Amino acid sequence: MAAAAGTAQAAAAAAAEPAAAGPGEEAGAGPLCSGPLRLARLPLARVKALVKADPDVSLASQEAVFILARATELFVETIAKDAYVYAQQGKRKTLQRKDLDNAIEAIDEFAFLEGTLD
């Protein structure tokens, strides 16, 4: 009987959890979304073309292209959020080049970018 109670509890817990996102959908997509969301926002065909433009790369799997696209999106999101802090300090809502420069200068993770905007 204890096993049946454990199974019933597991079934109830599974029913209470939100369903896992399917292919092409993001977890947490609410009922207001009209269709499946793309997992990557950058066009994968363009990312693949950029990868193939490197003479050292002969083949790139679709999975590798997706990971590069997603990593790029996360990087851009991170630096934009950090630069936005400097825009807010200047009482602005629009990011300017000086905000990116300030973020690159102030945050150690972006040290590799120093001098790239010159």
Side-chain angles (χ1 to χ4, degrees):
M1 190 70 159
T7 304
Q9 288 175 343
E17 292 179 11
E25 297 177 356
E26 282 188 14
L32 298 177
C33 296
S34 60
L37 296 176
R38 291 176 37 182
L39 293 176
R41 294 181 201 120
L42 292 175
L44 297 180
R46 296 224 179 165
V47 173
K48 187 167 191 164
L50 288 169
V51 170
K52 285 187 160 188
D54 185 341
D56 295 333
V57 177
S58 56
L59 291 174
S61 71
Q62 207 48 28
E63 184 178 39
V65 171
F66 172 78
I67 295 297
L68 283 169
R70 192 68 184 115
T72 302
E73 291 167 7
L74 292 172
F75 172 76
V76 170
E77 180 180 337
T78 301
I79 196 167
K81 283 181 179 178
D82 290 338
Y84 188 67
V85 171
Y86 291 99
Q88 287 178 319
Q89 288 174 358
K91 308 232 186 301
R92 292 177 282 107
K93 291 184 179 180
T94 304
L95 284 182
Q96 296 177 355
R97 180 185 165 149
K98 62 184 175 183
D99 301 319
L100 287 168
D101 287 336
N102 289 335
I104 289 169
E105 205 172 294
I107 300 170
D108 290 338
E109 295 166 342
F110 301 136
F112 72 97
L113 292 172
E114 288 181 8
T116 57
L117 295 179
D118 296 336

